[in-house]
Amino acid sequence: MRRFSTAWNPYVAGALSGLVAVASVAVTGKYLGASTTFVRGAGMVERLVSPDVVASLSYYLKEKPIFDWQFLFVTGIFLGAFLAAKLSGDFKIQAVPDSWRKRFGPGLGLRAVAAFFGGIIAMFGARLADGCPSGHGLSGLSQLSVSGFLSAAGFFLGGILMARLVYGGK
Amino acid sequence: MELLIGLCTGLVFGFLLQRAHVLRYDKQLGALRLKDMTIVKFMLSHIIVAMVGMYLLSDLGLAKLSIKATVLGANILGGLIFGLGWGLVGYCPGTSLGALGEGRTDALFGIAGMLVGAAVFSRSYDWLLTTVYTWGDYGKITLPGVTGLNHWLVIAVLAVAYVLVLRLLERKGL
């Protein structure tokens, strides 16, 4: 089972993923993206608690809490990664990433707080920009859209800045 | 049917992301700390192939491009805010699910946060529409449209630029 335990060449895997994106457009006309799914997911969770709130917010009317192509695409990423990790012997339950552990120690608490609040901030930004590294980064840049270049520049600038704050430029 | 194709597309995409090891926090932060550019290599290779393929399909009339609107305020501010959050969580929306798939359980906290972030955004949307979304709204514009250059020329120039960036990264051992 340890046939592919080393990583594939990122150029080959990236180029193949580009072909997947092109095939997707050719077959269904769908461009890769991920962050809208979190709006639908949030709407589904909120609907369980208070359906009235969901019905009254215009953003949930725009991005309805339903299972669409992208929702299944994102679900597929989870399954595909699981399958690849299992087949290659790469699967590993790990709660605190190596570089985080080196900097802050093995405690899960701080990592969980950072991941949670980082997630809130990242998703707010992605929805404001109308896309994430998939929708703007991959699909946007592939289509030469100006919004893709601006957003992707923002993603990396903001990310590099935060990485400096977290790791102190080391 | 469309849903099933979506699932299969995600499956293959997730498989490739995992095999290239680009899902994990250490690789995402590696790029943001300018130490390990694996995710940039993956992304630029994807883009080089996809921009040729997508414009080919579009020229042949086999597919329609789907351009997102350019709103300077929203793209720039949203992009920067996303980046700041990304540097903390270490996963982007798509890779968070993939990272969970390969066993990185801290992604669960990230995913929970992203769902909360989406709920917070839903409550801010109406206000944002009258403010940030009005700052520099240029509609659905592309580089070829803005520069007036043929899209194949723009693609050729960008492809060369991306390859030069990748060569530089390789030379620097990143």
Side-chain angles (χ1 to χ4, degrees), chain A residues 4 6 8 11 17 31 46 58 88 90 94-95 99 111 122-123 128 130 142-144 147 167 170, chain B residues 18-19 21 25-26 33 35 46 51 55 64 66 68 70 89 103-106 123 126 133 143 170:
Chain A
F4 335 103
T6 53
W8 286 4
Y11 300 116
S17 80
Y31 288 83
E46 287 209 61
S58 62
S88 63
D90 242 359
Q94 188 189 42
S99 43
R111 172 61 196 140
M123 186 52 63
L128 178 57
D130 192 25
S142 300
Q143 296 181 82
L144 315 176
S147 55
Y167 286 92
K170 274 175 282 185
Chain B
Q18 199 288 325
R19 287 319 310 138
H21 286 186
Y25 172 93
D26 296 316
R33 295 167 72 190
K35 287 171 181 292
H46 174 111
M51 64 184 179
Y55 271 90
K64 262 172 54 184
S66 164
K68 289 175 191 279
T70 293
V89 61
R104 316 292 160 146
T105 47
D106 60 330
R123 283 156 181 79
D126 290 333
Y133 280 111
L143 276 192
E170 286 299 334

Side-chain angles (χ1 to χ4, degrees), chain A residues 4-8 10-11 13-22 24-28 30-32 34-35 38-39 41-42 45-46 53 57-60 62 67-69 72-85 87-88 90-100 108 111-112 114-139 141-147 149-151 154-163 166-167 170, chain B residues 2-7 9-21 23-26 29 31-35 38-43 45-47 49-51 53-55 57 62-94 96-106 109-126 128 132-133 141-144 146 151 154-155 158 162 166 170:
Chain A
F4 335 103
S5 57
T6 53
W8 286 4
Y11 300 116
L16 285 173
S17 80
L19 287 178
V20 172
V22 175
S24 172
V25 170
V27 175
T28 54
K30 298 289 183 187
Y31 288 83
L32 308 192
S35 60
F38 285 79
V39 180
V45 176
E46 287 209 61
V53 174
L57 289 170
S58 62
Y59 201 59
Y60 285 137
K62 183 170 175 276
F67 295 102
D68 67 339
W69 178 90
L72 272 289
F73 169 73
V74 174
T75 310
I77 294 179
F78 169 79
L79 295 174
F82 176 74
L83 201 69
L87 286 175
S88 63
D90 242 359
F91 186 84
K92 180 167 98 177
I93 296 285
Q94 188 189 42
V96 181
D98 297 336
S99 43
W100 181 277
L108 176 60
R111 172 61 196 140
F116 183 72
F117 285 98
I120 295 179
I121 298 166
M123 186 52 63
F124 188 91
R127 289 330 303 154
L128 178 57
D130 192 25
C132 60
S134 310
H136 270 316
L138 298 179
S139 302
L141 289 188
S142 300
Q143 296 181 82
L144 315 176
S145 89
V146 174
S147 55
F149 287 94
L150 291 173
S151 305
F155 298 162
F156 278 92
L157 273 176
I160 289 167
L161 188 67
M162 182 54 78
V166 172
Y167 286 92
K170 274 175 282 185
Chain B
E2 190 181 280
L3 295 182
L4 190 66
I5 297 173
L7 188 71
T9 311
L11 212 103
V12 179
F13 191 56
F15 195 96
L16 292 168
L17 288 169
Q18 199 288 325
R19 287 319 310 138
H21 286 186
L23 294 168
R24 53 199 64 178
Y25 172 93
D26 296 316
L29 260 292
L32 298 180
R33 295 167 72 190
L34 311 175
K35 287 171 181 292
T38 310
I39 68 165
V40 174
K41 295 174 190 174
F42 185 97
M43 290 180 83
S45 312
H46 174 111
I47 291 163
V49 170
M51 64 184 179
M54 286 169 183
Y55 271 90
L57 288 174
L62 296 172
K64 262 172 54 184
L65 296 178
S66 164
I67 308 291
K68 289 175 191 279
T70 293
V71 183
L72 297 184
N75 294 144
I76 295 171
L77 270 178
L80 285 171
I81 293 171
F82 173 87
L84 292 171
W86 185 24
L88 267 180
V89 61
Y91 301 112
C92 50
S96 64
L97 268 297
L100 185 62
E102 63 170 1
R104 316 292 160 146
T105 47
D106 60 330
F109 298 100
I111 293 166
M114 288 180 197
L115 289 169
V116 172
V120 172
F121 183 82
S122 301
R123 283 156 181 79
S124 325
Y125 184 62
D126 290 333
L128 290 166
V132 184
Y133 280 111
I141 53 173
T142 62
L143 276 192
V146 170
H151 47 272
V154 176
I155 288 172
L158 284 174
Y162 293 155
L166 293 172
E170 286 299 334

